[in-house]
Amino acid sequence: MPDPNPAALDFLLTRRSRPAKTLGLPVPDRDALVPLLTAALRSPDHGKLEPWRLIVLERPALVRLAEMVPTCPAAAGRPPEELAKQVSQYAMAHLAVAVVAVPRPSGKIPQIEQTLSAGAVCLQLLNAALAAGWGANWLSGWASHDREFVTLGLGLAPEEWVAGLVHIGTETAAPPERPRPDLDVAVSWMAT
Ligand SMILES: Cc1cc2nc3c(=O)[nH]c(=O)nc-3n(C[C@H](O)[C@H](O)[C@H](O)COP(=O)(O)O)c2cc1C
């Protein structure tokens, strides 16, 4: 017989991200972050390649990144409101963790599976932060896909890329529930 963990199941059935722009202080300190980062790294990883790494972005780093956004190539030609929105993702944040995908050469584990593992790390970190009582939000944003921005701003190697920026802080406003998928549409049952 299964040995249920109703609290964990209830968490998964009710979990809800908190928009990054509504996250305030305090943010978890380094000691409080350790179990969340540990949980994130306890993610499914075919072949134990560890095709990811984490960069904790504290406030001064986020301010520095905000200042870099307008000068990165992906900013060119964007309307001012789009630029301002992308700057504010960094400028308003107090803490974010960059989940960096690190593709490992492998004759056995396809790159797509390594990518999926990086996504799993993002969700695991998001859920660990939410379960610990923090507000959290998995964002990307166009700057995070700009090669120059991630090279100069985050120190990424040419083969590395940002799988997600998980913002973590204190919830200041409860978001409305988000419409959730219709099981009848998303699920099919194959009995034979
Ligand atoms: C890879 C990825 C990137 C995302 N990037 C953004 C983003 O840049 N901006 C945004 O508003 N939401 C973004 N989202 C959506 C939010 O993280 C989240 O899915 C949404 O707020 C609902 O979250 P919940 O289902 O955890 O409540 C992204 C989601 C994923 C999976």
Side-chain angles (χ1 to χ4, degrees):
M1 284 296 288
D3 180 17
N5 182 337
L9 188 56
D10 183 58
F11 167 78
L12 292 173
L13 288 169
T14 56
R15 56 164 299 286
R16 172 82 175 94
S17 292
R18 305 297 194 266
K21 58 179 182 250
T22 68
L23 298 178
L25 291 170
V27 297
D29 61 18
R30 290 187 178 199
D31 284 347
L33 264 180
V34 166
L36 311 184
L37 302 173
T38 304
L41 297 182
R42 196 185 175 98
S43 289
D45 163 20
H46 192 179
K48 293 203 286 289
L49 296 177
E50 300 184 15
W52 19 251
R53 63 186 179 96
L54 304 177
I55 306 173
V56 179
L57 299 170
E58 297 178 302
R59 177 72 187 156
L62 290 159
V63 170
R64 177 177 59 78
L65 290 165
E67 287 166 0
M68 289 182 65
V69 168
T71 63
C72 75
R78 290 194 188 258
E81 59 277 12
E82 251 185 53
L83 197 55
K85 190 175 173 209
Q86 185 62 110
V87 169
S88 78
Q89 180 184 335
Y90 296 89
M92 304 292 288
H94 298 282
L95 182 79
V97 179
V99 177
V100 178
V102 185
R104 308 288 185 198
S106 170
K108 188 177 161 220
I109 314 300
Q111 289 297 318
I112 186 68
E113 296 193 9
Q114 299 185 36
T115 298
L116 292 167
S117 182
V121 170
C122 294
L123 181 60
Q124 190 88 327
L125 176 58
L126 176 72
N127 279 344
L130 294 173
W134 301 101
N137 199 189
W138 174 358
L139 299 186
S140 51
W142 47 262
S144 76
H145 299 303
D146 183 282
R147 184 43 51 189
E148 186 176 299
F149 182 79
V150 300
T151 302
L152 300 179
L154 297 173
L156 265 54
E159 72 279 11
E160 295 180 327
W161 50 276
V162 173
L165 294 160
V166 179
H167 291 249
I168 303 173
T170 296
E171 173 181 27
T172 60
E177 181 48 309
R178 178 181 169 96
R180 297 297 172 176
D182 180 347
L183 242 67
D184 291 337
V185 174
V187 179
S188 56
W189 304 76
M190 206 172 274
T192 58

